[in-house]
Structure formats: C-alpha cells, structure tokens
Amino acid sequence: MSRAPSRASLLSYAAVAFAACSWGTWPLALRHAEAMGPMPAALEATIALAVTTAVTGLAAVRDRIRKRATWRERGWIAWLGVGDGLNVLLFFAAYKITVGVAVLSHYLAPIFVAAASPFFLRERLTRRTALAVGVSFAGLAVMLGPARDGAAGAAVLESAALGAGSALFYASNVVANKFVAGAFSTSETMFWHGLVATPLLAAFVPHEAWAAADAHAVAFLSVASIGPGALAGLAFVWGLRRMPAAHASTLTLLEPLVAVVLGAVVFGEDLGARALAGGALILAGALTVMTGGP
C-alpha cells in the first residue's frame, strides 16, 4: 500500500509547481520589454540574473547554513552559475524566435534529468515516475508535431536548437543542486551562483547594446524579474531539495503548458486541438507525480 504524501511533501511539490507556472510567464515580460526598446537576449538574461542575485542576497542574510563548504561544493556552486547563465541565455534567445517551440524543446530537460539521476544521484527511477515522464513527453510530441501552415522551417529549427541547448544546462543544474544542499541554504545557493552567472552573461552583451538600452525597458524587466526570476527560483530550489529530482523535473512540465497558452492567447501563435490534447497529457503526467508522494 502506498503511503499518502505528508504536508511537507505536498508543500515542496506545490513550490515546484508554482515556480514552473511562474517561469511560463517569461514571454510576457520579455516581449513587453522588447516593445519598449531593442534589447538583446544577453542583456535580458543579465538583468534577470542580476535581480535574482540581489533579491536572494538579501534573503541569504537570514537563510544561512553555518557550515564551511568544501572546495568540491564550491566548485558545484560555480558550475551552477555557469550552467544557469547559459541556460537562461539560450532560452531567452529561443523566445525571441518563437514561444511554443522554444519552451517545448526546452522540456527535453526532464528526460536528461530522469536519465542522469540513477547514475549521479542514485535515485531509483520508479515505474510511476517513468510513466509520468512518458505521458508528459507524449504530450510534448503531440504539441510539436510536424511543421504546419508554412511556418519558417529554419526559424523553427533554430528556436528548437536553442531550447534544447538550454535544456541540457538546466538539467545539469537540477542534478548539481543536490550536491550543494548540505553546505548552502536555498538563498545562498541562488545568491552565490548568481555572482558567477551575472558577469558571465554581461560578457555576452554587445558594447553598443549597453548604450542603446531603453531605461524604461530595463526598469520594467528588472521589476518583472522578481517573480519568475527570484521568487520562482527560490521556490524551485527549496522544493527540489525535498523531493526526487526526476519528480521535480517532471512537475516543471507545467511551464510549457502556461507558455504555450500565453503564446496563443497573447501573441497569436497557433494553438489547435493537437496542442490542447498535448497540454492535457502534460497535466496528467504532472498530476501523477504530484499525487505519488516522495
């Protein structure tokens, strides 16, 4: 007989689900900022990571672990900075081309996590989790399908390639977070890896883009980044540390559902019966994970 999930377990699952839904709203913030003035993906990513670092730095003043980290744990924090920076950079670049294809290809990440967890984290891949991943990715396959209505094939492929690249770095961060949980609190993890990611991303910003950036667009994106950037990041890391990585990565499939719906409603991207059917499968897989307990 399976054990009912505890209240703490349900909170951790709810935190990851909140983070995923919040991440799905990134296209709204990015497209609105871009409408105010030109802004390359690297500058958008730098602003988002800088705001996240500042907010989590304030939280880290009280949320700390009184333990001296080993050099190995510090190395994982550095990798989190590199991995998250490249994840955000590639993902925002993909969003500049499409919303739907970008976010759906990005969700190759749970496949990478589920495949890596038994080797790196020694987490057993249960039949329930495998079924949930399979159902959710069947939904993604249904959503993507073949290109239609004369969509520019090159643009679709470019967006998908950028999204898949971001997925690889995102998946590595899910695994790496497990190796620093004992030495760094949730806030500390977000803050210290942000100190690595922010200057890394700033190095990708063209020199002329700094001078050409619209002040109102920068201010808007800075405020907007508090939600899907800082708060969602804190919620995700907090929940991830209290549940199997494969479960967390599957729950984040709620993000593409939110983003695809927003892409259709707000930006006029095609959302037909096939996408609705795929979204239903994604929800089914997420619900399977959420009701399964740790």
Side-chain angles (χ1 to χ4, degrees), residues 48-239:
L49 264 296
V51 170
T52 298
T53 304
V55 172
T56 55
L58 293 174
V61 173
R62 297 178 62 88
D63 179 27
R64 301 177 62 187
I65 291 181
R66 304 291 181 178
K67 174 194 170 185
R68 186 177 179 83
T70 66
W71 283 107
R72 182 180 181 184
E73 290 164 332
R74 294 174 186 177
W76 281 116
I77 285 288
W79 171 251
L80 279 170
V82 174
D84 197 31
L86 295 177
N87 160 46
V88 176
L89 175 62
L90 293 174
F91 199 23
F92 283 8
Y95 264 150
K96 282 187 172 294
I97 304 170
T98 68
V99 172
V101 173
V103 74
L104 292 172
S105 60
H106 174 74
Y107 272 79
L108 288 168
I111 290 290
F112 298 147
V113 173
S117 292
F119 300 99
F120 293 98
L121 302 177
R122 298 180 182 178
E123 291 182 359
R124 185 169 60 92
L125 184 62
T126 66
R127 283 180 293 181
R128 185 186 187 97
T129 300
L131 174 64
V133 171
V135 168
S136 294
F137 273 89
L140 291 182
V142 170
M143 277 187 166
L144 278 174
R148 49 198 167 174
D149 297 331
V156 169
L157 286 175
E158 183 181 359
S159 185
L162 290 168
S166 72
L168 184 61
F169 289 110
Y170 173 81
S172 76
N173 282 7
V174 172
V175 174
N177 259 292
K178 293 290 189 177
F179 296 132
V180 301
F184 297 92
S185 69
T186 299
S187 302
E188 287 177 311
T189 299
M190 295 292 295
F191 171 68
W192 288 114
H193 98 261
L195 287 183
V196 175
T198 303
L200 172 66
L201 289 170
F204 284 94
V205 180
H207 292 296
E208 61 274 13
W210 293 106
D214 182 85
H216 292 92
V218 172
F220 168 80
L221 188 56
S222 297
V223 174
S225 295
I226 294 174
L231 299 182
L234 287 170
F236 176 72
V237 175
W238 184 88

Side-chain angles (χ1 to χ4, degrees), residues 6-51:
S6 65
R7 181 180 178 183
S9 172
L10 289 174
L11 284 175
S12 66
Y13 281 58
V16 173
F18 159 76
C21 292
S22 182
W23 290 334
T25 66
W26 269 123
L28 288 178
L30 296 173
R31 295 285 178 90
H32 188 71
E34 291 161 6
M36 296 179 179
M39 189 176 292
L43 180 55
E44 293 172 339
T46 301
I47 293 170
L49 264 296
V51 170

